[in-house]
Amino acid sequence: MVQEERYMQRCLDLAMLGAGTASPNPMVGAVILHDDLIIGEGYTSPYGGPHAEVNAVKDAYRKLGEAEAKALFRVSTMYVSLEPCSHFGKTPPCADMLVELQFKRLVIGCLDPFAKVNGQGLKKLQQAGIDTTTGVLEDACIFLNRRFFTRIQQQRPYVILKWAQTEDGFFSPEVGAKRWISNKASKQLVHKWRGEEDAILVGTSTALIDNPALTTRLWNGKNPKRILIDKELKVSADAAIFNEEAETIVFNAHQTHWQKNRKLIALEHFDLYLPQQMLYQLYLMDVQSLIVEGGAMTIQSFIDAGLWDEARVFVSQSRWNQGKPAPLLNMIMSTTQKVGSDDLGFYFNGQIV
């Protein structure tokens, strides 16, 4: 069992290399083991490309040659962090390929909740006589793909709340002014996070006061889709949030109009169940994960609706003595870590199962 967990952990480490590019597919890692030697490994390609299992097989072909690799597969074990797919999507079923290559054994981290898979891939392998083991590091495998599981099971994106607050609990100045709370290391980390998620959301006040571009300019990663709540369309078309670096979706009360990277979507009964309406629209647009960055009222609206999964809160050493209060979670922190002089706390809303 220790060996199985060791190689499944390698699958998880590989899978993380697909963060920010695999969506809306899950992040998956695969390792092929023969006589205690890894002869091939891979992870999910950017969306539309080969899955982890295919990339692991191709890696073995490159290392050994196709003929020798195929011969070894028959006496080899493949470790994979998520159940191999059993349906035709952007690519052919991985389960069919594994059956065709006659792998001796498959060790699977967790089953795939997607209705077209969900046990069917495992069933194909077992019917072909392949020895299978499931549930190795299962909790870790599910946690890795908590975005994918949430989208499939709850028909909405996985929602990450992010904010910084002072040591005495303030989010921003009382008057409309821009003032940094977290340090440079924390700011860079936030840009890394942006590259790992599908979209990032702010409200009208944040767009007007901070004029953010919401890009990953401090990190080498893709820019997320930008989501703006702007009921009355107050934010100017020349604001930084509308630059050419990414597309911007504007939820508003008046217009539906798509032009280049600026997409206006009018919501009926705008003030009624706003977080729910936005999340469902984003789900329909294949957005699998969303960072909510501000302002405080916008973040609090997701908290009050119970529509959040994870919160990442920076607490600086500064004290302002006055200002706008930070959002209230009323929840025990799960973990904490130091980012330079800042304390970073992580909170999770319920269990991903």
Side-chain angles (χ1 to χ4, degrees), residues 213 215 223-224 226 237-248 259-262:
T215 61
N223 291 321
R226 298 173 295 201
D238 62 1
I241 199 169
F242 294 125
N243 66 29
E244 298 297 323
E245 296 180 78
E247 74 173 40
T248 303
Q259 185 177 20
K260 293 184 179 180
N261 67 318
R262 185 168 178 258

Side-chain angles (χ1 to χ4, degrees), residues 146-156 158 352:
R146 57 198 184 277
R147 298 160 181 82
F148 175 72
F149 274 63
T150 297
R151 179 175 176 271
I152 295 299
Q153 295 172 334
Q154 299 189 41
Q155 289 78 54
R156 64 166 177 83
Y158 184 86
I352 307 296

Side-chain angles (χ1 to χ4, degrees), residues 82-95:
L82 185 70
E83 177 185 8
C85 62
S86 57
H87 67 294
F88 282 88
K90 295 283 185 181
T91 61
C94 290

